[in-house]
Amino acid sequence: MTLSTILLASDHAGVDLKTALVNALEERKLEPIDLGTHDHQSVDYPDMADKLAHELISGKAPRGLLICGTGIGIGIAANRHPGVRAATCHDVTTARLARAHNDANVLCLGARVTGVQVALDCLDAFLETDFAGGRHQRRVDKLGAI
Ligand code: RB5
């Protein structure tokens, strides 16, 4: 499991943005693992979140990216899995702080509310920012204990 490997999944609303981000990750010589969905046929976002969460928890990759229409439903679903800390982000600052303060391991984006360039900037910030630790570690530990 290396940091360059990243899991991706989306529902039908997020599939085009997911494809754009998979391509961008490949251009950066990273290793995206695309878990679907692969077309515009309607699928349920909890199923896609479930799929990615299981792969993440089993150790296939340290980080994941989930996309639905708003990034909200798929994030709620992902956070039902112990060990997943999914953050729905709309800009670089939320993506950076989701890593630095919350040690988020899944970034959630909304394809109907976030454009491709902002999504890519969020993804870069999410992948490049380390967890700050310190007082934040205590808080993240409490998340795990809930
Ligand atoms: C699907 O139409 C839409 O509800 C879903 O992508 C998402 O936005 C839910 O949170």
Side-chain angles (χ1 to χ4, degrees):
M1 175 163 82
T2 68
L3 253 186
S4 60
T5 310
I6 177 160
L7 300 163
L8 294 94
S10 75
D11 70 358
H12 54 289
V15 69
D16 292 338
L17 179 58
K18 175 166 62 61
T19 301
L21 296 181
V22 166
N23 292 339
L25 288 168
E26 284 173 347
E27 278 168 23
R28 287 162 167 69
K29 306 291 178 218
L30 299 174
E31 296 165 44
I33 299 176
D34 187 350
L35 301 171
T37 190
H38 298 293
D39 57 37
H40 294 105
Q41 191 164 334
S42 182
V43 292
D44 295 335
Y45 58 81
D47 297 336
M48 303 315 296
D50 227 29
K51 203 168 176 178
L52 184 140
H54 281 117
E55 297 290 350
L56 190 92
I57 298 306
S58 75
K60 189 117 182 217
R63 306 231 183 124
L65 170 64
L66 287 170
I67 309 172
C68 66
T70 59
I72 294 172
I74 210 157
I76 292 172
N79 276 319
R80 304 241 163 171
H81 294 263
V84 171
R85 290 178 301 281
T88 299
C89 298
H90 297 99
D91 50 49
V92 172
T93 305
T94 46
R96 180 173 57 79
L97 292 177
R99 285 287 313 128
H101 288 190
N102 311 114
D103 199 14
N105 50 11
V106 176
L107 172 66
C108 302
L109 296 172
R112 292 176 179 158
V113 293
T114 302
V116 179
Q117 187 57 57
V118 172
L120 190 50
D121 291 345
C122 288
L123 181 56
D124 283 339
F126 183 74
L127 294 177
E128 288 164 11
T129 305
D130 291 327
F131 178 48
R135 67 187 187 280
H136 302 294
Q137 183 65 63
R138 183 180 69 245
R139 294 160 185 167
V140 169
D141 288 344
K142 287 187 176 183
L143 288 178
I146 290 173

